[in-house]
Amino acid sequence: MEQLKVLFHVSDNECWQRALMNIQNFLNDIGERGADVEVVANAGAVVAYYSDGGQLELTDQMARLSGIGVRFTACRNAVRAHSLDESLKPSFVEVVNAGITEIVKKQGEGYAYIKP
Amino acid sequence: MEQLKVLFHVSDNECWQRALMNIQNFLNDIGERGADVEVVANAGAVVAYYSDGGQLELTDQMARLSGIGVRFTACRNAVRAHSLDESLKPSFVEVVNAGITEIVKKQGEGYAYIKP
Amino acid sequence: MEQLKVLFHVSDNECWQRALMNIQNFLNDIGERGADVEVVANAGAVVAYYSDGGQLELTDQMARLSGIGVRFTACRNAVRAHSLDESLKPSFVEVVNAGITEIVKKQGEGYAYIKP
């Protein structure tokens, strides 16, 4: 079977818990090596990369998923709009020029789109 | 014209009303036989299959749409996470192993994705 | 590079600000002529076309984006459900028979789907 490709779009900080559980359940179902998974965070959702408001388990989960191949990206416009310092982001987060461009390009490459 | 294929992803219980209205308006527009329609419910949205909190018209609408060919599925992870008994689900609901896998596969089969 | 094609689906009035910022950031990134962009508003989101509740900058932003080629459409079912007069809509808004049909068709034409 061809490798599945999935993009998760997270724009609300409140949706991270659900998004990470979606990804974990998906990988449990198809196997950790069964899909290319990318998360694009824009708007308010980039804040959780820097501080999960006491919910430390969120960034822990992200780091662990990153370790098994899930790619986490942040929209640079959103990082700046929230006065966050790009140089202080966690090492597992990649900043992209514009989140929407990333999402559009990935769909063009055959990634399924999921809004958790 | 080739048959249209559409997947509706419902993850919030609060979005069912809108989702069912979307589906009804869509079928009114293109004709009941004009599209393959599937609904994937995950996260909190699976609860409405078991009890619509007094809004009995919701499950009635689902059953009626099911009767004209709309497929309703529930994510098994979500059913378990909400301590629901799979054997007590309505007969028109099909439980799938993982909602996200179902959504990804359907997009791969050419289904349009809609988040109501 | 082939022209990018993107459809933004707005169903909540509260999401307009984010949607318009998404579009602006996207066009800033790829260039105003770099993509075909369409916005489909259904459900409660059609209300903002008629009155943005004092946030006049919303309709101003839409009109300006329309001027550089962004297409704004409204679902007729939603316009009627909110007792809005189709003849009083802003000139830059095109009413389509059913928002979901429009979204499905555009995805079939290769448009990426974004739910802001």
Side-chain angles (χ1 to χ4, degrees), chain B residues 1 4-6 8 18 21-23 25-26 28-30 107 111-116, chain C residues 9 11-12 42-44 75 77-78 81 97-98 100-101 103-105 107-108 113 115:
Chain B
M1 191 174 72
L4 296 174
K5 294 183 280 190
V6 192
F8 289 85
R18 177 191 290 171
M21 189 173 296
N22 282 176
I23 295 169
N25 285 336
F26 174 58
N28 288 348
D29 185 43
I30 62 155
Q107 287 191 57
Y111 277 67
Y113 175 88
I114 307 257
K115 188 79 191 278
Chain C
H9 176 201
S11 48
D12 281 304
N42 71 343
C75 172
N77 298 293
N97 214 30
I100 299 300
T101 309
I103 296 171
V104 172
K105 286 186 172 167
Q107 287 191 58
Y113 174 88
K115 189 78 191 277

Side-chain angles (χ1 to χ4, degrees), chain A residues 4-6 8 18 22 25-26 29-30 111-116, chain B residues 9 11-12 42-43 77 97-98 100-101 103-105 107 113 115:
Chain A
L4 296 174
K5 294 183 280 191
V6 193
F8 289 86
R18 178 191 290 172
N22 281 177
N25 285 336
F26 174 58
D29 185 44
I30 62 155
Y111 277 68
Y113 174 89
I114 308 256
K115 189 77 191 278
Chain B
H9 176 201
S11 48
D12 281 304
N42 71 344
N77 298 294
N97 215 30
I100 299 299
T101 309
I103 296 171
V104 171
K105 286 186 171 166
Q107 287 191 57
Y113 175 88
K115 188 79 191 278

Side-chain angles (χ1 to χ4, degrees), chain C residues 1-115:
Chain C
M1 191 175 72
E2 203 190 346
Q3 184 82 346
L4 296 173
K5 293 183 281 190
V6 192
L7 184 139
F8 290 85
H9 176 201
V10 187
S11 48
D12 281 304
N13 244 339
E14 294 69 34
C15 288
W16 272 112
Q17 191 90 47
R18 177 190 292 172
L20 298 179
M21 189 173 296
N22 282 177
I23 294 169
Q24 187 61 63
N25 285 336
F26 174 58
L27 294 176
N28 288 348
D29 185 44
I30 62 155
E32 287 186 2
R33 303 283 168 212
D36 290 331
V37 177
E38 176 168 335
V39 181
V40 176
N42 71 343
V46 297
V47 175
Y49 283 146
Y50 287 80
S51 160
D52 54 12
Q55 300 182 283
L56 280 174
E57 63 274 15
L58 274 191
T59 40
D60 284 353
Q61 283 179 57
M62 290 176 195
R64 195 180 47 73
L65 287 169
S66 169
I68 60 171
V70 175
R71 189 176 171 225
F72 287 88
T73 67
C75 172
R76 178 167 288 125
N77 298 293
V79 169
R80 290 179 177 168
H82 290 83
S83 305
L84 298 167
D85 184 342
E86 198 173 315
S87 69
L88 299 178
K89 68 171 178 55
S91 58
F92 65 81
V93 174
E94 182 182 341
V95 175
V96 295
N97 214 30
I100 299 300
T101 309
E102 180 74 8
I103 296 171
V104 172
K105 286 186 172 167
K106 288 294 169 180
Q107 287 191 58
E109 294 170 12
Y111 277 67
Y113 174 88
I114 308 256
K115 189 78 191 277

Side-chain angles (χ1 to χ4, degrees), chain B residues 16 57 83 89 91:
Chain B
W16 273 112
E57 63 275 14
S83 305
K89 69 170 178 57
S91 58

Side-chain angles (χ1 to χ4, degrees), chain B residues 29-94:
Chain B
D29 185 43
I30 62 155
E32 288 186 1
R33 304 282 169 211
D36 290 332
V37 177
E38 176 169 334
V39 180
V40 176
N42 71 344
V46 298
V47 176
Y49 284 146
Y50 287 79
S51 161
D52 54 11
Q55 299 182 284
L56 280 173
E57 63 275 14
L58 274 190
T59 40
D60 284 353
Q61 284 179 57
M62 291 177 194
R64 196 180 46 73
L65 287 168
S66 169
I68 60 171
V70 175
R71 189 176 171 225
F72 287 89
T73 68
C75 172
R76 178 167 288 124
N77 298 294
V79 169
R80 290 179 178 169
H82 290 82
S83 305
L84 299 167
D85 185 341
E86 197 172 315
S87 69
L88 298 178
K89 69 170 178 57
S91 58
F92 65 79
V93 174
E94 183 183 340

Side-chain angles (χ1 to χ4, degrees), chain A residues 62-80:
Chain A
M62 290 177 195
R64 195 179 47 72
L65 287 168
S66 169
I68 60 171
V70 175
R71 188 176 172 226
F72 287 88
T73 67
C75 172
R76 178 166 288 125
N77 298 293
V79 169
R80 290 179 178 169

